[in-house]
């Protein structure tokens, strides 16, 4: 495999899409040996085929704001690969959304979904619409307009979207409602639905819970556990919330949350009523975490800073891509971190990742450690297809087992000669083999 040439061609074809190139490069570097050792992959030209999305759907979303002004946004769906199952991946509503960003997320989703052992292909979608500060009616009108176009391309056996940044239960409700009206069917076309109309228990918590279960599995390989650990978390959204709850349940003390404005350090631990307060803070639709310190005066706010300067045993980046750079990684190492488990997608820059791998700490890339979210979406689809609901315990047991299985797959394919488990390599190789073999089985189509 000529990595340099592949990357140069990819760059030429996808100008101005650095995150997509970053994600592809990271995967290709780690699967190079497997491709070289298995000529069938080169013979079928799998690499060039797997890095090209099946299709990118791009459309106009027009909607009227509360003042009667007509607004225009861009909507996207990147259907990347459906070799092992229907396309599956979240929708992100955030002003930073671009085609390149969604291609990065859709590409990652292929391998993540493959790792879950469930039959799901990779996709991602969204819009540059900013839900911040919008009224409920504006959000509803936007979601309806978005779906008026997207409904043509999705379906319970075709492509099943879900939530992501800026898309929670409310947005999924509005989009699902519009889909149902247009298609005339009440089907499991979305996951992350409301509990009363097809949603699964534990889905809101699943990504964070899975992330912490994965960290616990990594710690076990060194005879350790989450109990008594000091944990730093970034973000204060859905994934952060689930991670904080589970880490606390397992006996750890979570001491930070963050927003784009800075981070909060709470030496007493973010637990109990403080976790409930986090939900209130989110519901208030603001992008600041500072009010936490008014409510709990022992906590301090550090404006414009990131939580990676705080001494901790375990770090859980749960906010956004590239939020932890080389300097942050070095700070964490200098402060004695033993485990970094990504709740967000690609939160660590390539340089930060390199530092963690070199220091041989336990380091899990998001495609393995945050796969619990999409795995539980898969469990929601199963419940919809069976037309029954599992209890919270049943769903959580299955989620837990899936995270253990993903961890085992990473160890199987990622263990170096000296015994160190490179989870980046392990997750990429395990995810790749299944998809590549399916593509070969299904021929050139
Ligand atoms: P949310 O929108 O619920 O939360 C994102 C959080 O990150 C918010 O608190 C947001 O603050 C904060 N944030 C955004 N930008 C920054 C920044 N520059 N610095 C610090 N904090 C920031 O999204 P999710 O929790 O759903 O998603 C978080 C990450 O997890 C994303 O990378 C997503 O792709 C990934 N993920 C999510 C899954 C899910 O099930 N939801 C599944 C797998 C991965 P603010 O709102 O003020 O912008």
């Amino acid at each position: 495999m000529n990595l340099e040439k592949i990357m140069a061609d990819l760059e030429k074809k996808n100008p101005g899409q650095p995150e997509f190139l970053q994600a592809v490069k990271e995967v290709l570097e780690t699967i190079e040996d497997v491709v070289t050792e298995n000529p069938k992959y080169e013979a079928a030209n799998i690499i060039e085929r797997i890095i090209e999305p099946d299709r990118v759907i791009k459309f106009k979303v027009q909607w009227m704001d509360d003042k009667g002004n007509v607004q225009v946004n861009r909507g996207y769906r990147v259907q990347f690969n459906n070799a092992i199952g229907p396309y599956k991946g979240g929708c992100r509503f955030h002003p930073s959304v671009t085609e390149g960003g969604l291609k990065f997320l859709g590409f990652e989703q292929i391998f993540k979904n493959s790792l879950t052992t469930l039959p799901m292909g990779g996709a991602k979608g969204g819009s540059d619409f900013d839900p911040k500060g919008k009224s409920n009616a504006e959000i509803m009108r936007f979601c309806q307009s978005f779906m008026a176009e997207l409904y043509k391309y999705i379906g319970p056996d075709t492509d099943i979207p879900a939530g992501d940044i800026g898309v929670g239960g409310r947005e999924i409700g509005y989009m699902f409602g519009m889909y149902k009206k247009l298609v005339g069917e009440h089907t499991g076309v979305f996951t992350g639905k409301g509990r009363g109309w097809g949603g699964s228990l534990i889905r809101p918590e699943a990504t964070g819970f899975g992330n912490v279960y994965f960290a616990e599995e990594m710690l076990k390989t060194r005879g350790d556990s989450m109990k008594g650990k000091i944990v730093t978390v970034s973000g204060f959204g859905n994934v952060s919330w689930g991670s904080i709850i589970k880490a606390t349940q397992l006996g750890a003390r979570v001491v930070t949350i963050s927003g784009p404005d800075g981070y909060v350090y709470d030496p007493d631990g973010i637990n109990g009523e403080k976790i409930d307060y986090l939900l209130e803070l989110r519901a208030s639709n603001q992008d600041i975490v500072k009010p936490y310190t008014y409510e709990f005066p022992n906590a301090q706010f550090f404006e414009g800073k990131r939580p990676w300067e705080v001494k901790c045993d375990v770090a859980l980046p749960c906010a956004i891509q590239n939020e932890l750079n080389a300097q942050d990684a070095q700070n964490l190492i200098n402060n004695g971190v033993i485990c970094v488990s990504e709740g967000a997608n690609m939160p660590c820059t390539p340089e930060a990742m390199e530092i963690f791998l070199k220091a041989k700490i336990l380091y899990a890339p998001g495609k393995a450690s945050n796969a619990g979210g999409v795995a539980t979406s898969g469990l929601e689809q199963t419940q919809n297809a069976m037309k029954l609901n599992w209890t919270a315990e049943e769903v959580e047991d299955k989620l837990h087992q899936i995270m253990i299985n993903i961890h085992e797959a990473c160890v199987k394919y990622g263990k170096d000669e000296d015994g160190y488990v490179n989870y980046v390599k392990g997750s990429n190789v395990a995810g790749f083999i299944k998809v590549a073999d399916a593509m070969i089985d299904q021929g050139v189509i």
Side-chain angles (χ1 to χ4, degrees), residues 233-237 240 256-264 289 305-307 319 323:
V233 168
S234 62
F236 70 117
S240 317
T256 64
I257 49 167
S258 72
D261 53 331
Y263 78 90
V264 164
V289 285
K305 297 219 165 171
R306 300 195 276 209
E323 57 159 313

Side-chain angles (χ1 to χ4, degrees), residues 77-115:
R77 187 74 182 162
V78 179
Q79 296 181 329
F80 223 113
N81 187 299
N82 65 353
I84 63 167
Y87 302 108
K88 177 95 194 93
C91 278
R92 177 176 293 191
F93 291 168
H94 195 272
S96 67
V97 163
T98 58
E99 183 177 325
L102 294 176
K103 273 159 77 178
F104 129 60
L105 290 161
F107 180 72
E108 289 281 292
Q109 200 79 40
I110 305 171
F111 305 94
K112 183 191 303 194
N113 292 2
S114 167
L115 276 174

Side-chain angles (χ1 to χ4, degrees), residues 41 133 136 146 222 235 244 258 285 298 304 391 406 411:
Y41 296 135
N136 210 19
F146 183 78
R222 298 194 177 171
I244 293 169
S258 72
N285 209 11
N298 254 1
T391 63
I406 295 174
V411 172

